[in-house]
């Protein structure tokens, strides 16, 4: 078993990062994710949101794993925790942990290391994808605001016309 961890600070408030995290897939940075199923989602008594999702992926398992046909003995359990930054409220801390297990082969430690490297690379792409989603969200908000401003101007102009 190998444990991989990472911490990253997003320069966005927690609410924005969480909205993006829930809308992260599909995205062009992570084409390997082909499906997302929510297995469980609840808010605990302390107000924390817990979302247990199953991601169906077709990602680059190292070729040595494929060549020796042990892909059914590979397990990756990943946990992501998003928290508001304790000292800077406009930032969010992401802590990631992956537990990698390869069973039944003498090269398991080596293969777990290869998998950890792949996960590290994919985690960077995942953070880039979250930034991409945040930019899309901000564009949607601006588009909605512009549309609302236009609608309000038209309504005010129509009301002014009716009054005259």
């Amino acid at each position: 078993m190998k444990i991989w961890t990472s911490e990253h600070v997003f320069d966005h408030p927690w609410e924005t990062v969480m909205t993006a995290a829930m809308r992260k897939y599909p995205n062009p940075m992570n084409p390997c994710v082909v499906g997302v199923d929510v297995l469980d989602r609840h808010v605990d008594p302390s107000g924390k949101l817990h979302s247990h999702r199953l991601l169906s992926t077709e990602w680059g398992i190292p070729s040595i794993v494929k060549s020796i046909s042990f892909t059914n003995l590979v397990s990756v359990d990943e946990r992501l925790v998003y928290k508001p930054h304790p000292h800077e409220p406009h930032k969010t801390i992401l802590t990631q942990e992956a537990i990698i297990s390869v069973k039944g082969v003498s090269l398991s430690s080596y293969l777990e290391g290869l998998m950890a490297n792949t996960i590290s690379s994919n985690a960077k792409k995942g953070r880039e994808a979250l930034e991409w989603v945040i930019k899309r969200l901000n564009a949607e908000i601006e588009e909605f605001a512009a549309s609302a401003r236009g609608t309000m101007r038209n309504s005010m102009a129509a009301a002014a016309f009716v009054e005259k």
Side-chain angles (χ1 to χ4, degrees):
M1 178 175 68
K2 179 148 185 84
I3 299 174
W4 172 87
T5 61
S6 173
E7 186 174 282
H8 178 77
V9 177
F10 287 99
D11 196 17
H12 306 284
W14 180 85
E15 293 83 1
T16 301
V17 173
M18 285 310 303
T19 300
M22 293 299 137
R23 293 178 56 181
K24 186 175 174 182
Y25 301 105
N27 69 69
M29 281 61 101
N30 301 107
C32 59
V33 177
V34 295
V36 179
D37 294 302
V38 176
L39 303 179
D40 179 47
R41 184 173 289 156
H42 66 278
V43 177
D44 70 17
S46 69
K48 292 180 185 173
L49 171 66
H50 296 264
S51 183
H52 187 189
R53 301 190 301 173
L54 178 65
L55 276 59
S56 300
T57 61
E58 293 179 2
W59 56 285
I61 294 175
S63 58
I64 190 166
V65 175
K66 289 180 183 176
S67 68
I68 55 179
S69 300
F70 288 115
T71 55
N72 62 336
L73 302 174
V74 175
S75 169
V76 178
D77 187 17
E78 185 178 26
R79 178 183 165 123
L80 287 77
V81 177
Y82 298 90
K83 291 182 181 177
H85 194 287
H87 308 295
E88 300 181 61
H90 67 281
K91 294 185 178 184
T92 303
I93 299 173
L94 164 62
T95 305
Q96 289 177 267
E97 176 184 90
I99 300 171
I100 307 145
S101 298
V102 177
K103 298 184 180 354
V105 293
S106 59
L107 300 171
S108 62
S109 180
Y110 173 73
L111 296 174
E112 289 167 352
L114 287 176
M115 296 291 291
N117 290 339
T118 301
I119 288 169
S120 182
S121 173
N122 286 343
K124 182 177 185 251
K125 292 176 190 173
R127 293 188 298 269
E128 291 169 357
L130 213 51
E131 291 287 353
W132 178 80
V133 173
I134 290 169
K135 284 180 186 169
R136 286 187 61 202
L137 288 171
N138 288 338
E140 286 176 16
I141 290 167
E142 182 53 39
E143 183 180 317
F144 178 74
S147 174
R149 284 191 297 270
T151 301
M152 288 181 66
R153 278 190 211 113
N154 292 341
S155 296
M156 290 171 69
F161 179 75
V162 169
E163 287 179 11
K164 290 182 180 181

